[in-house]
Amino acid sequence: MKKIVLTGGGTAGHVTPNFALLEGLAEAGYEIHYIGSRNGIEKELVRQQHLPYHPISSGKLRRYKDLKNLTDPFKVLLGCVQAWKVLGRIRPAVVFSKGGFVAVPVVLGAWLRRIPVVVHESDMTPGLANRLSQPFAKAVCTTFPQTLEHLPKTKGVHTGSPIRKSLYQGDAGRGREFTGLTARRPVLLMMGGSIGSVKVNQVLRALLPTLLEEFHVLHLCGKGNLDDKLEGTPGYRQYEFIGKELPDLLAMADLVLSRAGSNAISEFLALKKPALLVPLSAGASRGDQILNARAFQRDGYAHLLQEEELTQETLLEAIRQLWTDRDACIRAMEGAPHTDGTEKVLETIKEYSR
Ligand SMILES: CC(=O)N[C@H]1[C@@H](OP(=O)(O)OP(=O)(O)OC[C@H]2O[C@@H](n3ccc(=O)[nH]c3=O)[C@H](O)[C@@H]2O)O[C@H](CO)[C@@H](O)[C@@H]1O
């Protein structure tokens, strides 16, 4: 039986797109394995998918410091040896990497074993792990067409972002049952990226008394960010991270307030959810979310509020403005050329499997 090793981790955005491929890979006859870190978010997410999980050592994730992401060279080297060994046991036909720091040793291990590697880059410009992986990959799939400019002509393939099928199967009724918010009122879903956003959380929470007069608010606030004082607030529900109920919560949502992580915004586009994006500032990141959000704003799929301009007043005004422009946003998204990269990524993987 043909085998495939999936890898990627550190934040959910480097993991969840892999899951969109599972059904198609199984249909194509691949036995699927996952290599991830010992303690990263990918471990628990992959366990929920019941896939064989092979943990390796990986350099510490020091976010936003670019090269320092890989400053633990010993652990990275150990990870390479471990990945090389695991790959020798599994002997996959191909490795698919969704990036993130754990992916680099796996890509190197695969290259040493002459196993073809396909990488996927979600952001407009390639992240550090993918920049390091690119020379060892046969192909680099991209969410945005503009990313091809940053890649060798022979390797870049614009595919779009793979979207999990389950996201299309959400049911608002089930969501209302789960949240207990049964009254008919517009629903604002706030998603701060897979780890939440302390900054947006604070402003949103300060604004709640006003917002709750107009909306129900579902708040995905990130691990460790629950606010006990707000438990029981009528019309408001907070969750650290939502797993299998996410499709139902998205189905309930009329508007989304979100960071501009590439996978999250690709999901809003695929589901035609008008979004107000507050991208992570360039000071706190390499600025990828700003580029993502600008592209979405330009195409009319979302509204943009810069973090530097985020106050209770601007947030309230921007939410109200999006509510007014909701139909125009949905129309723009309905006209988007293609919004789900699953099939194209699967084709690329099959093409390069040995
Ligand atoms: C802080 C940071 O480094 N962010 C980066 C990270 O974002 P991050 O890891 O937050 O990834 P995204 O926002 O792209 O995706 C988040 C994923 O988590 C899922 N989700 C989220 C909340 C929840 O409760 N349940 C759930 O399932 C979303 O549906 C989505 O699939 O990787 C992205 C893709 O490389 C980049 O664009 C972001 O800039």
Side-chain angles (χ1 to χ4, degrees):
M1 191 183 208
K2 238 180 339 186
K3 296 179 186 171
I4 181 167
V5 163
L6 307 176
T7 187
T11 67
H14 294 299
V15 189
T16 51
N18 282 315
F19 300 154
L21 306 172
L22 297 181
E23 201 176 308
L25 289 173
E27 271 167 19
Y30 287 90
E31 180 182 306
I32 307 164
H33 293 254
Y34 204 104
I35 301 183
S37 67
R38 294 196 187 285
N39 311 309
I41 189 170
E42 62 274 19
K43 189 175 174 189
E44 175 55 20
L45 292 175
V46 172
R47 192 188 61 76
Q48 290 164 9
Q49 300 289 330
H50 312 290
L51 293 177
Y53 188 77
H54 309 271
I56 60 164
S57 160
S58 63
K60 239 198 184 128
L61 179 65
R62 300 211 177 94
R63 292 178 325 108
Y64 319 136
K65 295 256 160 52
D66 219 27
L67 268 172
K68 286 195 182 138
N69 275 354
L70 294 162
T71 47
D72 207 339
F74 173 72
K75 283 189 183 162
V76 176
L77 201 65
L78 183 63
C80 284
V81 175
Q82 290 168 334
W84 183 81
K85 279 190 181 161
V86 173
L87 290 166
R89 273 203 315 273
I90 301 174
R91 303 202 163 275
V94 63
V95 165
F96 178 72
S97 163
K98 197 50 218 74
F101 66 107
V102 72
V104 178
V106 184
V107 169
L108 277 172
W111 181 76
L112 288 169
R113 288 207 177 268
R114 302 286 177 268
I115 299 166
V117 173
V118 175
V119 168
H120 185 280
E121 174 55 59
S122 295
D123 291 305
M124 198 78 81
T125 59
L128 175 63
N130 278 353
R131 289 206 303 277
L132 292 169
S133 299
Q134 185 265 106
F136 307 103
K138 296 277 186 209
V140 182
C141 305
T142 69
T143 290
F144 293 98
Q146 297 92 322
T147 315
L148 296 180
E149 292 161 21
H150 303 274
L151 295 168
K153 280 209 168 49
T154 50
K155 293 194 179 179
V157 190
H158 171 232
T159 55
S161 179
I163 306 288
R164 288 169 283 170
K165 251 196 193 142
S166 59
L167 287 178
Y168 299 107
Q169 291 152 1
D171 181 84
R174 260 195 325 253
R176 282 194 284 273
E177 209 172 294
F178 174 76
T179 58
L181 297 179
T182 47
R184 295 298 162 128
R185 186 173 267 231
V187 174
L188 173 74
L189 173 77
M190 150 69 186
M191 190 194 268
S194 54
I195 52 172
S197 163
V198 172
K199 193 146 187 193
V200 186
N201 286 354
Q202 277 169 356
V203 183
L204 176 78
R205 282 174 169 150
L207 194 60
L208 275 180
T210 315
L211 264 185
L212 289 172
E213 287 172 16
E214 296 163 46
F215 296 94
H216 281 158
V217 177
L218 302 176
H219 190 178
L220 310 186
C221 59
K223 210 163 178 212
N225 295 332
L226 291 173
D227 183 341
D228 293 344
K229 293 190 294 298
L230 291 172
E231 275 312 317
T233 304
Y236 174 75
R237 296 290 183 271
Q238 52 180 347
Y239 307 94
E240 287 191 317
F241 187 86
I242 279 285
K244 66 178 189 332
E245 296 85 6
L246 184 66
D248 298 336
L249 266 54
L250 277 163
M252 261 179 98
D254 298 290
L255 298 184
V256 179
L257 165 64
S258 179
R259 282 299 196 184
S262 164
N263 302 292
I265 65 173
S266 300
E267 292 165 2
F268 306 148
L269 173 59
L271 298 175
K272 317 282 177 266
K273 294 287 165 186
L276 172 62
L277 304 177
V278 185
L280 197 62
S281 69
S285 71
R286 61 193 175 88
D288 49 320
Q289 292 202 1
I290 298 176
L291 298 178
N292 296 346
R294 278 202 195 125
F296 265 49
Q297 181 193 36
R298 192 200 53 218
D299 293 336
Y301 306 155
H303 285 194
L304 167 60
L305 178 59
Q306 298 283 6
E307 189 176 301
E308 295 75 18
E309 289 159 15
L310 176 68
T311 63
Q312 286 183 52
E313 293 72 32
T314 55
L315 182 60
L316 181 63
E317 187 181 330
I319 291 172
R320 286 182 174 152
Q321 188 61 50
L322 181 63
W323 181 243
T324 310
D325 293 350
R326 192 171 168 261
D327 291 342
C329 247
I330 293 174
R331 270 198 305 279
M333 290 190 276
E334 280 168 352
H338 75 269
T339 56
D340 189 340
T342 308
E343 286 311 315
K344 283 195 174 175
V345 173
L346 284 169
E347 272 167 33
T348 312
I349 288 175
K350 287 176 202 163
E351 185 183 338
Y352 287 100
S353 294
R354 61 179 181 184

